[in-house]
Amino acid sequence: MRGAFELAGIRPLPEEAPEKAENRYRGRPIFSAVLLTLIVLGCAGCRLIMTKDPTYMDLSHYNTAPNGEFLFGTDAMGRDIFSMIWYGGRLSLFIGTASAAISTVIAVVFGAASGLAPAWLDALLMRVTEILLSVPGLLLIVLLQAILGEADVFRISLVIGVTGWMSIAKVVRTEVRQLRGHEYILAAKCMGGGFFYILRRHLAPNFVSSVMFMVVMNVRSAIVAESTLSFMGIGLPLEVITWGSMLSLAEKALLTGAWWTILIPGLFLAAVLMCITNLGNYLRKNINRKESNL
Amino acid sequence: MKKRNRFVYYGKKILTFVVSVFILSAVVFYVSRLAPGDPLVSYYGDRVEKMTPGEREWAKERLGLNDSVTVQYVRWLDHAFRGDFGISWKYKTDVVDVIGGRIGNTLLLGGLGFVFIFVFSLLLGVWCAWHEEGPADRMICNVGTLTSCIPEFWLSLVLILVFSVTLHWLPSSGAYSVGKERDFADRVMHLILPVGIVVLNHLWYYAYMVRNKILEEVRADYVLLARAKGLTKRAVMFRHCLRNVMPSYLSLMAISVPHILGGTYIVETVFSYPGIGTLAYESARYKDYNLLMLLCILSGILVILCNLTAQIINERIDPRIREQEVSERLEVTEP
Amino acid sequence: MSELLEVKNLSVSFFCAGGEVQAVRDVSFSLARGEVLAIVGESGCGKSVLCKSIMKLLPGTAKIKSGSIAAGGADITHYTEREMCKLRGKLFSMVFQDPMTSLNPTISVGAQIAEAVRVHQPEITGERLQERVAELMKLVGIDCPGERMKHYPCQFSGGMRQRAVIAVALAGNPAILFADEPTTALDVTIQAQILDLLRDIQQKLGTATVFVTHDLGVVARVADRVAVMYAGKIVEIGTAAEIFYEPRHPYTWGLMRALPAFSKGRDSLYTIPGMPPTLINPPPGDAFAYRNENALAIDYEKEPPMFRVTDTHYAATWLLDERAPRIAAPVGRCGEHTDGGKSRRRWEDTKNTRMEETASNEILLDVRHLSHVFPLNRKTAVKAVEDVSFQIFRGEIFGLVGESGSGKSTVARCVMNLYRPCEGSIRYKGINTCDAKSFRKNRRMLQSTRQMIFQDSDSSLNQRMRVCDIIAEPMKIQHMTPPRASFREEARFQMHYVGLDARYLDKYPSELSGGQRQRVAIARALAMEPELLVADEPIASLDVSIQAQIVNLFRHLQQEHGFSFLFIAHDLAMVEFLCDRVGVMCRGRLVEVAPTQELFSNPRHAYTKALLSAIPIPDPRREQARRATEFCAERDALDGELTEIGAGHFVLKNGEQ
């Protein structure tokens, strides 16, 4: 131990052991992502998968239970459900994303305006949003539909989009308000950054993550809205195949006991919605959560 | 607060309410008249197609559709103030009677649903927050997400398939069996599925919000002080955290009333339940103007009333809102 | 058992995603009845975890790994939550750091105190409960308790809230009171009042107190005994006199020397090199060795045991081993310097020559009759700044001091054109920057030669940008070509300049510590080679030892660059080392302006005197004998005009004493 008590002075800290590489896939919705991708790909490439013409009414085979030829059976009009699923899914997903896109554009503009507006205007805009938000969405859609007239794919996307922006707008507005108080915005202003510079470099990257969640949820609610409308016979006509319009025959199926016409399109719908929800929740999760005090 | 101030406060709210209803009626009136579609269809049904132009003219004159929209609106307002909302063109009776005959059913369905949602979402939310990240909480979260993202109508269909078609336990449609209008047990049997679906569909949305709000509260510093006093965890949860969550929960529930009632419309359609939901869709589609107006105004009143209630809860019950005002002021002095 | 609280070999760890964080490691201490023990250490050294683990208030991820806790004569190590509930509030209670968040905002203050009374004395009800609450509120110095108990926390100021929290903590007549940094979040003068209150209560009720703080200066005022913690361990423990007058552990030396009061008269503040280690994998041996100039070879290998100095004084350092070389403690008593008055004179000389060299008589910034009003609603408004005038000469460091709400930040923001002042003028290089037209004409020059540093480095750096992008940002905005090859090179250079390692270039701000983040903010400001630097409380949210590092850095940089500097702070201690001239602000008014030496030796305004007396002196004997002077601001003390009473010394006439 001689020399142990000699002055050694400051030595550098030993290099820290590299952090344990955490399981990259932990907590990530891998299953949902894969399933959703498969369904979306299937719908996009429906021509390759379909075994029959989805619009062809094979009246000799109506209400057939699933078998080797009709994988998922046929509906009351003799159409092949397996083919209809992929064919109709394309439209359902398109309506969902299109109307979510419309909502997002309206919401970002409206929310950012409200967030940047002076207090009184902000309060006014937010009251309008809240009132609109508390009107049952479906009622709004029906009213708008009545005004716009006969439904087609674009019109219905527009209607759903126009009625679904309120909650995203609220999120955008809150985020902008919060960010506005951050000192790095002030710092950027001091350095001479203009409004658009700040929007591009500082605001947008910061609110994207929380808005993403709302957008994803909006895709979900748009798909639900479309299918509900079609189911109730006030959305797309029966000839336009979507998951919703496929289900509009379901009430008759209840009487005949043709469970496959209800369960199969519904399961697809539910699976997609569930996957979207899981992905959305993952986007929202904040990693550094404080510990509970209780 | 001084009495005078309170008077002014509620006076302002009532004024807002009246003005909003007035604006709403005007907007709905104009928009519905300007929309495409033939209003005569709802009165004359298929006969419209066979009408000669002269007959059409006469019919329009009779229904007062030839005047300018403003004149029509003033006339409608004039009648409405005297309690006359006109007749439904489709049912050919007073709209008040048409709605009155059905509104009870909707209120029963929606009201029951609301009460259950109100009670269970609070209980479920607190329970999940208490067992945060435990296996039970995780399971409930997953099941809850599942039920809330399945479309209402499909859930109804599946439950009918299971409980009515396959098991024959519960009736699949209507509010009561024929001839059993006064049978209480029969009514209950008819309500189980619709109410169950309304509750299942909305419950998790609110319970999840309660859960997250409580989890936020539980992380606040005052929880530590309350525990340092010697309060048990249970006491802290109920006397402090839950109490702080209540104002926002109450105001959310107030806003949710129209949503839950809106949710019953779909269930009404699936179960052929005689409520006003189906009525609303029909009137909008067939341009049954008088019926549409009254329904819109009723829902509008409900929406506005609920919003005002939520606002009052926020502003009056929660002292933190007052604090926010103060802190905003502080922020101003020392930004 | 005579001791009220006896902790033996306690180890507490948090088990989280990154691994096991050993927050408290093998800590033993005891507390006698009626005694005040102060636990001192930098943030993250486990001092408040220690208190919370005794009261079992830690979250589920924390585990007591070993050791025992005995309180009130019973071993409570393995008590269940139910048993602990009976003890909390009655045997021990706790006061927390931030009074703004530790009261429930939706329950009236009186009801929260009453709740605490009723937990252990349910027999007290009705009238008697009200009396008891009023009595407690009086005890902690809240006037008109009858009325105040109906108020909600939001109607209380910070200091009053902390008093209410103390009342809650005292409601069950606890034998031990844990005070977890009770004054850190408060203004200096309020801090002095709360410290006096805690001392009074301790004397009146005989409550034993464990006082946790990162500020050694505060300790001198309240403590009987002091424990110094570093990296989860107690490295030295002894009576206050022993710790302050004969410290043995090099870390205690370092903490002591980092106090501004000990550097009085020296050229720069002493700083402890480096940073505290992370507690995920604490280094072997003495954790402090890596920052210790006097570290021995053995320190890097073997943990030192607790060496006994006297019966009450123990220290864990190999320097106390008989085989170790004798090293004289580099700290003397406060105010006594090893070289007497020599260095002070030398410092003043250098300062004067520096002044002559750098500070010319050219006025760089001229603020005249600045007023700013924030409208609250249509009827009322807050006067944040009222008739403030001052000048900053080229190459000068001007300090602006005031407590929260005094309007100093508003002044800074007006200077930087973030707010448009309601009245008055601000001239920078002769350009009236308040005038929109002349501002626009000179925008580029103004935006590149004036830079600002903010208080909260956490929010002044965008969490989503890398360090190198943050530093290069102002150059990119101004479309400057980087003088050194690339923006990245430029960022590397600036980082080196402010003492940051280049390996942080690609890190995000959240991966850095508070001091490092503030260095990034400084590097960003310096990248533009500014002529005027405005720093809005740049050190307020940092630990004392880190504060000293930043102040030294500022001083060094200012000497190198020669920029003019508006330095805003809320307490006077650090200002003394940095600034050439100081202005004191109170409620929107500038009450006194003077050269630093003059202001500290000859304060004239009542408020300045109160501020100065609130600075804690790290000398227990002197500190415990004195009380802070309070400034009861009548409005007219803040009225009147600034009048010159000596060379460059201005004071508000009405408040002069």
Side-chain angles (χ1 to χ4, degrees):
Chain A
M1 286 294 276
R2 291 198 84 234
F5 286 91
E6 270 166 26
L7 265 184
I10 299 177
R11 290 183 193 167
L13 258 174
E15 211 39 43
E16 271 173 47
E19 277 177 48
K20 255 187 291 171
E22 266 191 77
N23 187 355
R24 278 176 58 198
Y25 300 108
R26 242 190 85 194
R28 293 187 187 200
I30 297 298
F31 179 74
S32 298
V34 170
L35 187 61
L36 191 63
T37 318
L38 282 180
I39 293 180
V40 170
L41 283 180
C43 291
C46 58
R47 303 238 171 264
L48 304 174
I49 297 176
M50 286 189 304
T51 51
K52 305 252 178 222
D53 178 3
T55 54
Y56 175 66
M57 297 181 197
D58 186 354
L59 291 176
S60 57
H61 289 102
Y62 70 94
N63 275 348
T64 319
N67 58 28
E69 187 187 356
F70 303 101
L71 287 173
F72 291 163
T74 60
D75 67 359
M77 286 146 83
R79 295 179 293 184
D80 176 39
I81 293 184
F82 180 77
S83 309
M84 283 166 84
I85 289 277
W86 304 110
Y87 187 77
R90 206 165 55 157
L91 266 189
S92 282
L93 293 175
F94 171 77
I95 293 172
T97 30
S99 45
I102 295 171
S103 304
T104 310
V105 171
I106 301 178
V108 169
V109 172
F110 195 90
S114 182
L116 295 169
W120 65 269
L121 186 60
D122 175 51
L124 186 75
L125 291 177
M126 277 302 114
R127 286 230 47 74
V128 171
T129 323
E130 264 160 36
I131 297 243
L132 282 176
L133 196 59
S134 66
V135 177
L138 222 54
L139 201 68
L140 261 183
I141 297 175
V142 171
L143 277 181
L144 270 179
Q145 272 262 271
I147 294 163
L148 283 181
E150 201 53 44
D152 61 37
V153 173
F154 292 98
R155 219 171 262 176
I156 208 162
S157 309
L158 184 73
V159 168
I160 295 173
V162 166
T163 50
W165 52 270
M166 286 83 78
S167 47
I168 311 182
K170 275 184 92 165
V171 174
V172 173
R173 178 248 172 201
T174 322
E175 288 288 316
V176 171
R177 283 259 147 191
Q178 265 174 14
L179 290 173
R180 224 164 70 137
H182 269 288
E183 283 175 343
Y184 61 80
I185 302 291
L186 286 179
K189 267 191 205 161
C190 282
M191 294 170 221
F195 175 78
F196 286 102
Y197 173 84
I198 290 174
L199 188 70
R200 186 166 49 86
R201 288 290 295 176
H202 294 291
L203 290 181
N206 275 294
F207 69 55
V208 153
S209 68
S210 49
V211 171
M212 271 313 282
F213 165 73
M214 296 303 299
V215 171
V216 166
M217 288 296 139
N218 212 265
V219 173
R220 186 187 99 177
S221 52
I223 294 178
V224 172
E226 183 274 321
S227 62
T228 307
L229 282 175
S230 301
F231 166 76
M232 296 179 78
I234 37 185
L236 294 167
L238 200 59
E239 305 85 60
V240 181
I241 299 170
T242 67
W243 289 343
S245 67
M246 285 169 78
L247 283 164
S248 64
L249 288 174
E251 256 176 311
K252 285 169 205 131
L254 278 180
L255 300 174
T256 56
W259 52 268
W260 54 92
T261 50
I262 301 174
L263 284 188
I264 289 171
L267 279 179
F268 266 83
L269 190 58
V272 166
L273 298 176
M274 194 68 196
C275 293
I276 291 178
T277 312
N278 278 341
L279 287 177
N281 278 334
Y282 170 70
L283 285 176
R284 183 171 58 167
K285 234 168 230 161
N286 39 10
I287 305 108
N288 281 328
R289 258 192 118 176
K290 232 182 111 185
E291 280 290 330
S292 167
N293 280 332
L294 201 65
Chain B
M1 201 180 6
K2 279 182 214 141
K3 218 172 185 174
R4 219 185 85 81
N5 277 348
R6 194 173 301 172
F7 183 73
V8 170
Y9 177 77
Y10 287 106
K12 267 188 190 166
K13 296 280 164 200
I14 291 169
L15 195 71
T16 324
F17 173 70
V18 173
V19 171
S20 314
V21 171
F22 186 76
I23 294 175
L24 177 86
S25 71
V27 169
V28 174
F29 199 91
Y30 277 88
V31 166
S32 62
R33 307 282 143 144
L34 294 176
D38 189 355
L40 293 180
V41 176
S42 75
Y43 196 93
Y44 295 100
D46 291 339
R47 271 186 292 150
V48 174
E49 285 163 29
K50 296 176 199 128
M51 278 180 175
T52 60
E55 277 175 328
R56 283 188 64 101
E57 222 21 61
W58 174 80
K60 275 196 171 178
E61 189 63 44
R62 201 185 134 217
L63 295 175
L65 292 169
N66 278 345
D67 300 319
S68 75
V69 180
T70 318
V71 172
Q72 290 184 44
Y73 179 58
V74 172
R75 191 163 55 215
W76 181 85
L77 261 189
D78 181 42
H79 287 272
F81 271 118
R82 281 186 256 132
D84 173 17
F85 290 94
I87 59 161
S88 160
W89 295 350
K90 189 168 177 235
Y91 295 90
K92 313 287 188 297
T93 47
D94 195 339
V95 282
V96 179
D97 292 339
V98 175
I99 293 174
R102 293 200 178 193
I103 201 164
N105 288 333
T106 298
L107 285 184
L108 185 68
L109 176 58
L112 270 180
F114 181 79
V115 170
F116 282 125
I117 291 168
F118 187 91
V119 174
F120 287 127
S121 63
L122 200 59
L123 291 179
L124 197 63
V126 171
W127 198 82
C128 283
W130 185 265
H131 298 273
E132 190 198 347
E133 291 298 308
D137 173 47
R138 272 187 212 178
M139 206 186 76
I140 292 181
C141 282
N142 284 330
V143 172
T145 321
L146 190 72
T147 59
S148 62
C149 72
I150 291 177
E152 212 167 0
F153 72 92
W154 190 65
L155 191 66
S156 316
L157 289 176
V158 171
L159 290 187
I160 290 176
L161 200 61
V162 173
F163 290 103
S164 309
V165 177
T166 314
L167 296 171
H168 297 291
W169 287 358
L170 296 165
S172 68
S173 68
Y176 39 79
S177 310
V178 185
K180 285 189 180 174
E181 281 172 44
R182 309 231 163 262
D183 188 344
F184 181 72
D186 183 59
R187 285 230 159 191
V188 171
M189 288 298 275
H190 277 87
L191 275 173
I192 291 178
L193 270 186
V195 171
I197 287 160
V198 170
V199 173
L200 265 185
N201 207 266
H202 288 86
L203 182 63
W204 186 244
Y205 179 79
Y206 300 102
Y208 192 58
M209 174 259 171
V210 171
R211 173 184 179 269
N212 286 351
K213 285 260 172 196
I214 289 185
L215 289 185
E216 247 169 59
E217 289 295 326
V218 156
R219 281 158 177 74
D221 282 352
Y222 69 79
V223 170
L224 277 182
L225 184 71
R227 289 186 65 200
K229 281 180 201 176
L231 289 181
T232 57
K233 284 187 180 188
R234 191 182 297 269
V236 175
M237 173 67 98
F238 285 99
R239 279 196 235 159
H240 287 268
C241 299
L242 193 57
R243 185 198 165 101
N244 288 6
V245 168
M246 277 321 267
S248 47
Y249 179 63
L250 287 179
S251 65
L252 182 79
M253 286 318 283
I255 298 179
S256 78
V257 171
H259 270 269
I260 292 173
L261 281 179
T264 66
Y265 294 171
I266 298 164
V267 177
E268 278 174 17
T269 325
V270 181
F271 285 89
S272 325
Y273 187 89
I276 55 171
T278 31
L279 216 52
Y281 292 123
E282 281 172 11
S283 64
R285 281 183 79 191
Y286 298 117
K287 310 239 167 255
D288 193 345
Y289 285 153
N290 289 331
L291 192 57
L292 182 70
M293 278 305 287
L294 191 57
L295 283 174
C296 278
I297 286 176
L298 281 180
S299 351
I301 287 176
L302 187 71
V303 167
I304 295 166
L305 265 185
C306 292
N307 262 296
L308 282 179
T309 318
Q311 218 183 342
I312 291 170
I313 291 171
N314 270 335
E315 286 170 5
R316 287 284 151 246
I317 295 187
D318 195 346
R320 276 173 300 182
I321 302 291
R322 280 172 252 159
E323 179 183 27
Q324 245 172 30
E325 283 164 23
V326 175
S327 69
E328 264 164 33
R329 261 173 238 175
L330 286 179
E331 206 179 291
V332 167
T333 45
E334 184 70 24
Chain C
M1 231 185 338
S2 63
E3 303 288 2
L4 192 55
L5 176 71
E6 182 112 38
V7 174
K8 273 195 189 133
N9 306 98
L10 184 71
S11 293
V12 181
S13 286
F14 287 86
F15 293 89
C16 50
E20 178 190 346
V21 180
Q22 303 176 20
V24 173
R25 302 188 291 158
D26 196 23
V27 163
S28 307
F29 71 92
S30 64
L31 184 72
R33 239 163 247 289
E35 182 184 42
V36 181
L37 172 73
I39 300 179
V40 190
E42 286 165 287
S43 56
C45 72
K47 51 198 191 308
S48 78
V49 174
L50 176 60
C51 294
K52 284 182 187 159
S53 67
I54 294 169
M55 284 189 71
K56 299 233 170 92
L57 286 176
L58 288 173
T61 49
K63 295 245 153 44
I64 294 183
K65 271 174 61 191
S66 58
S68 68
I69 305 163
D75 183 2
I76 62 163
T77 324
H78 301 291
Y79 267 29
T80 57
E81 175 69 22
R82 185 184 290 264
E83 288 166 311
M84 286 307 290
C85 280
K86 290 191 189 121
L87 295 183
R88 287 188 205 127
K90 202 166 166 193
L91 177 64
F92 36 48
S93 198
M94 198 156 178
V95 176
F96 298 91
Q97 174 172 358
D98 190 357
M100 293 321 221
T101 55
S102 53
L103 287 169
N104 188 336
T106 64
I107 302 179
S108 71
V109 172
Q112 294 194 47
I113 301 174
E115 188 183 33
V117 174
R118 299 247 315 164
V119 174
H120 295 293
Q121 294 142 295
E123 70 281 0
I124 301 184
T125 46
E127 205 80 335
R128 279 185 54 220
L129 185 62
Q130 297 297 314
E131 277 166 31
R132 174 76 180 130
V133 171
E135 184 192 324
L136 279 165
M137 288 174 83
K138 251 188 221 136
L139 178 72
V140 296
I142 300 175
D143 297 329
C144 324
E147 200 180 310
R148 295 291 264 165
M149 69 173 78
K150 291 191 202 94
H151 287 182
Y152 287 92
C154 53
Q155 289 156 300
F156 278 53
S157 68
M160 280 297 149
R161 283 194 206 191
Q162 197 60 296
R163 285 171 195 265
V165 172
I166 294 172
V168 168
L170 291 174
N173 296 318
I176 308 168
L177 181 68
F178 292 99
D180 185 2
E181 309 234 13
T183 59
T184 311
L186 302 172
D187 271 330
V188 211
T189 52
I190 309 289
Q191 162 174 309
Q193 291 167 16
I194 297 289
L195 288 178
D196 285 346
L197 173 71
L198 282 172
R199 197 167 55 176
D200 286 349
I201 285 169
Q202 188 264 332
Q203 276 160 6
K204 229 183 269 174
L205 306 180
T207 316
T209 310
V210 176
F211 191 95
V212 173
T213 178
H214 67 270
D215 190 350
L216 256 182
V218 172
V219 168
R221 203 178 190 110
V222 287
D224 299 322
R225 286 201 302 143
V226 180
V228 180
M229 269 187 95
Y230 185 77
K233 304 183 101 176
I234 289 185
V235 292
E236 185 164 10
I237 186 165
T239 64
E242 284 164 340
I243 297 291
F244 277 95
Y245 303 134
E246 276 157 76
R248 292 305 178 96
H249 196 281
Y251 180 60
T252 319
W253 297 342
L255 275 185
M256 212 67 98
R257 289 170 72 192
L259 285 173
F262 277 95
S263 305
K264 214 170 188 112
R266 284 202 183 82
D267 202 9
S268 64
L269 288 160
Y270 173 80
T271 57
I272 307 173
M275 304 220 306
T278 57
L279 294 174
I280 291 192
N281 289 308
D286 184 357
F288 185 62
Y290 303 92
R291 301 172 68 187
N292 182 7
E293 291 152 2
N294 300 319
L296 305 179
I298 190 171
D299 276 327
Y300 291 98
E301 281 142 32
K302 216 168 151 198
E303 258 179 59
M306 272 290 195
F307 286 97
R308 179 182 161 277
V309 182
T310 68
D311 279 341
T312 49
H313 190 180
Y314 292 84
T317 169
W318 286 112
L319 288 180
L320 291 173
D321 192 281
E322 52 196 10
R323 290 163 290 183
R326 301 281 145 234
I327 289 168
V331 248
R333 287 192 191 180
C334 178
E336 289 174 16
H337 303 292
T338 31
D339 57 351
K342 248 191 280 172
S343 86
R344 173 175 217 121
R345 238 172 290 130
R346 195 169 354 114
W347 174 64
E348 271 171 24
D349 287 346
T350 51
K351 186 161 179 170
N352 284 339
T353 46
R354 190 165 62 85
M355 284 277 279
E356 276 157 30
E357 278 166 21
T358 53
S360 57
N361 285 332
E362 187 195 336
I363 293 175
L364 187 74
L365 182 76
D366 188 3
V367 178
R368 283 196 188 277
H369 307 294
L370 182 74
S371 292
H372 194 66
V373 177
F374 291 105
L376 283 186
N377 47 42
R378 265 167 288 177
K379 283 170 205 154
T380 48
V382 171
K383 277 188 182 170
V385 176
E386 208 183 334
D387 194 20
V388 164
S389 307
F390 62 91
Q391 287 80 40
I392 298 180
F393 298 97
R394 190 177 279 282
E396 179 191 45
I397 308 183
F398 184 78
L400 204 53
V401 180
E403 298 191 326
S404 55
S406 62
K408 53 198 190 308
S409 294
T410 313
V411 170
R413 287 172 189 212
C414 285
V415 166
M416 292 305 291
N417 281 85
L418 288 172
Y419 296 154
R420 179 187 293 264
C422 299
E423 267 173 62
S425 69
I426 300 171
R427 284 180 179 279
Y428 171 75
K429 290 187 176 174
I431 300 160
N432 185 357
T433 58
C434 297
D435 181 48
K437 214 166 144 195
S438 53
F439 174 73
R440 237 172 295 137
K441 218 159 77 194
N442 299 291
R443 161 176 279 159
R444 217 190 135 119
M445 185 276 283
L446 288 172
Q447 280 168 347
S448 53
T449 63
R450 305 178 307 170
Q451 292 296 322
M452 187 161 182
I453 295 166
F454 292 87
Q455 168 178 5
D456 185 2
S457 57
D458 196 27
S459 101
S460 70
L461 306 178
N462 190 342
Q463 298 295 321
R464 285 169 194 277
M465 284 167 80
R466 287 168 200 279
V467 167
C468 57
D469 293 327
I470 291 173
I471 296 175
E473 191 188 1
M475 287 184 281
K476 284 183 189 162
I477 291 180
Q478 296 295 341
H479 307 291
M480 273 168 55
T481 35
R484 275 167 271 287
S486 65
F487 285 120
R488 201 180 160 79
E489 274 311 302
E490 185 66 31
R492 191 193 300 274
F493 172 80
Q494 293 296 349
M495 277 171 77
H496 175 73
Y497 211 70
V498 297
L500 267 182
D501 204 289
R503 71 193 147 126
Y504 293 119
L505 262 175
D506 287 317
K507 299 243 179 210
Y508 288 96
S510 58
E511 296 169 83
L512 307 181
S513 72
Q516 288 170 331
R517 277 200 295 261
Q518 205 53 279
R519 281 173 199 262
V520 173
I522 295 168
R524 174 173 67 181
L526 289 179
M528 295 300 287
E529 302 277 334
E531 288 174 57
L532 175 69
L533 191 62
V534 176
D536 186 3
E537 302 218 37
I539 55 169
S541 53
L542 304 173
D543 260 335
V544 180
S545 56
I546 310 294
Q547 279 186 10
Q549 289 180 3
I550 299 290
V551 165
N552 278 347
L553 176 67
F554 274 137
R555 202 187 180 109
H556 170 75
L557 291 174
Q558 201 272 341
Q559 277 166 2
E560 296 255 313
H561 281 263
F563 52 77
S564 309
F565 195 7
L566 175 58
F567 181 83
I568 290 169
H570 66 269
D571 76 288
L572 279 164
M574 289 293 177
V575 168
E576 192 179 355
F577 281 87
L578 189 62
C579 300
D580 303 314
R581 286 195 307 137
V582 180
V584 179
M585 279 191 79
C586 180
R587 300 195 194 168
R589 296 295 310 254
L590 192 61
V591 297
E592 192 163 359
V593 185
T596 311
Q597 281 308 309
E598 170 76 8
L599 188 87
F600 278 79
S601 58
N602 184 20
R604 299 296 286 271
H605 196 275
Y607 180 70
T608 317
K609 286 182 182 170
L611 262 189
L612 278 172
S613 87
I615 301 176
I617 309 168
D619 180 343
R621 275 176 214 147
R622 271 163 64 196
E623 184 68 15
Q624 290 186 359
R626 81 191 182 106
R627 289 188 80 97
T629 22
E630 285 183 30
F631 173 64
C632 316
E634 301 101 43
R635 192 65 213 178
D636 36 295
L638 298 173
D639 269 345
E641 300 225 332
L642 276 182
T643 356
E644 183 156 15
I645 51 161
H649 190 164
F650 297 83
V651 67
L652 268 193
K653 204 66 192 159
N654 290 2
E656 194 191 333
Q657 283 186 347

